[in-house]
Amino acid sequence: MMTIREKEQKIEELNLKISELKLIEENEGIDFQEQIEELNDKIKEIEDLIVKEMTPWDRVLTSREKKRPTALEYIQEIFEDFVELHGDRYFGDDKAIVGGIARIDDFKVTVIGEQKGMNTKDNIYRNFGMPAPEGYRKALRLMKQAEKFNRPIITFIDTPGAFCGVSAEERGQGEAIARNLMEMAGLKVPVISFIIGEGGSGGALAVAVSDKIYMLENSIYGVLSPEGFASILWKDGSRAQEAADVMKITAEDLADLKIIDGIIKEPVGGAHKDFKKVSTSVKEIILSELESLTKLNKSELVNKRYERFRAFGEFKIVE
Amino acid sequence: MPIGELFRKNYKYIELTKKNEAGKLEGEEKAVPSIPDDLLIKCPSCSEKLYKEALAENMYCCTACGHHFRINARERLQEIADEGSFEEIDRTMVSVNTLDYPEYEKKIASYQEKSGNYDGVVTGTCSIEGHKVVIGVMDSTFMMGSMGSVVGEKITRAIEMADAEKLPLVIFTASGGARMQEGIMSLMQMAKTSSALKRFSDNGGLYITVITDPTTGGVTASFAMLGDIIIGEKGALIGFAGKRVIEQTIKQKLPDEFQTVEFLLEHGFIDAIAPREELKELLARILSLHQEVQ
Ligand SMILES: [Zn+2]
């Protein structure tokens, strides 16, 4: 059996063959229509196989793929007039969270994103998308500002988790996340979130107490990374693949559990294979959700959000 | 159930783990060294040999050096609540195996048997030197006080009860963090409890948090850090990330005082620290300062 990577390579080969044939067709005037159709069928077959055989672990790997589009790329593709705003006004400007104001069609919005690097150097600059307390405080400042000016909020989630380190403890990582959870619950403007890569635990939730939450097909969202889960419960971080199977971290699982509102399809291989298409889907969802959420009055909006999170939990009462 | 029964002395084991060994990540459990109650107990801090009975009489604080042993929820209530005033709510709420995690039910059952509780938090109403409050006490002896659906729901119901009855809310935190075996649902409890606290706060409710040893992970990053007033019990560990995780990352040993309530006080995240014997009086004083004049 071919691995996903091998299948993807095979598809690339077949695509190359098709373009060669097309080139010959053009130059020599020979008709390869039949052969090209055959190759296309073959590609479709392999693609279907990839989708069918994709395991939760494959999705974990895809969610972390180096070429996966990051928050800023979505922001630049989807919005106009983006003005980035920096700093938490207390300590500093965290590079792992970006935010600002922008326009999408006729709506003026506040946009916030957890930002991974686009290459190795950038990743160090962005602390691999692991926000510090001042990042969450920046996000909260911008969300409160959005509320003041009655702007809806769009957040993009993509983090392995909140940064764990001495500085983060000193500056109250726990308090920063807790404060965001509490304050987001009361925001009087619509909040729409997209999990575009990794949704790592409290570090993701801290910008996702939202009215609507969508996930890209190959993104993940969980209480911890599969590696962390395996090392805590089984004392063996190398069993991450197994952990991914039991954790229910895929978009499909989370839609079943009603944690999220919808799944955005990705091209075979991941969002980076056809970013235009994926970002167009994201844009369409933003617009249609803004259309309906902005019709709710403020107390309806806040009550609905409360009910959403109030309902989470599974338990029973025994005698 | 008669209130007296809640305070029956049927707890055979006490914990002897040093606080700085507890800096582990969310939901982690460890073998708890325990000793039958008729034996001597060695203080992990000063090595003094103590009689359990004398220790219990001294609120489980070392009579030689003052080291605070961890105590369970019932023992805590006995110290904080006025005698006979505690009335429990939601006692029999139990967890559901959300992830179909192997052996989870069995594990829960064994903790239930050992602790006499159904999950990691005990909630209800009581009075503290005459001040009626809604109280929640987490229990680190029940799966490290990890927060799954039951802990989240019971805390949320306690908040809602305080809101509905216009009572102050006091929560003693003690938790290893999110309960891994319940996956995403345990993460959602952070948002649920924080949302309920937002409403309670907006309605003018008073919420006092008492941080006890150890408080980490998802509980630190939600209701533990959201008190109007946050009190730390002397020497208690509090942090977001596990100490070992940080040590592994920076490849350095961290000092003992890192991630203690004293450390957080220094950095501005805690209002006051009190030794165990002074907690009740301190709570009562704060409550009286919030009492409406009739
Ligand atoms: Zn001692």
Side-chain angles (χ1 to χ4, degrees), chain B residues 35 61 113 124 198 203 235 255:
Chain B
I35 289 183
C61 297
E113 200 169 312
K198 173 68 178 163
N203 291 337

Side-chain angles (χ1 to χ4, degrees), chain A residues 164 169-171 174 178 182-183 185 205 229 232-234 248 303 306 310 312-318, chain B residues 25-26 92-94 98 101 149 153 156 160 180-181 189 192 198-199 221-222 239-241 259 267 269:
Chain A
C164 293
E169 297 292 324
E170 284 172 345
R171 296 202 288 276
M182 182 169 170
E183 292 304 325
L205 184 64
F229 187 92
I232 284 182
L233 288 181
W234 306 326
K248 298 197 176 157
N303 285 339
Y306 185 82
R310 180 65 187 88
F312 289 134
E314 293 180 350
F315 53 87
K316 59 188 181 204
I317 311 288
V318 295
Chain B
L25 202 62
E26 319 188 336
T92 60
M93 192 186 292
V94 296
T98 309
Y101 189 82
S149 286
E153 182 69 20
T156 304
E160 288 172 341
M180 295 299 138
Q181 293 88 340
Q189 303 312 307
K192 183 164 89 181
K198 173 68 178 163
R199 278 199 169 178
S222 60
F240 172 67
Q259 291 187 322
H267 286 91
F269 291 99

Side-chain angles (χ1 to χ4, degrees), chain B residues 43-48 50 62-67 69:
Chain B
C43 172
S45 179
C46 72
S47 300
E48 180 81 6
L50 309 160
C62 173
T63 46
C65 75
H67 170 78
F69 287 77

Side-chain angles (χ1 to χ4, degrees), chain B residues 84-134:
Chain B
S85 71
F86 178 66
E87 284 180 52
E88 188 166 3
I89 55 169
D90 302 317
R91 175 174 165 77
T92 60
M93 192 186 292
V94 296
S95 67
V96 170
N97 195 354
T98 309
L99 295 187
D100 298 318
Y101 189 82
E103 311 265 293
Y104 183 49
E105 288 98 339
K106 229 167 107 184
K107 187 158 208 168
I108 290 281
S110 87
Y111 277 103
Q112 286 171 342
E113 200 169 312
K114 252 193 287 184
S115 68
N117 298 323
Y118 288 85
D119 211 296
V121 69
V122 176
T123 53
T125 56
C126 74
S127 58
I128 298 173
E129 291 187 9
H131 302 281
K132 194 173 180 198
V133 299
V134 173

Side-chain angles (χ1 to χ4, degrees), chain A residues 9-25:
Chain A
Q9 261 165 24
K10 184 83 194 161
I11 290 174
E12 265 170 48
E13 279 167 30
L14 294 171
N15 271 323
L16 205 69
K17 216 173 259 174
I18 291 174
S19 37
E20 276 168 17
L21 287 178
K22 279 184 177 160
L23 204 70
I24 301 171
E25 257 185 350

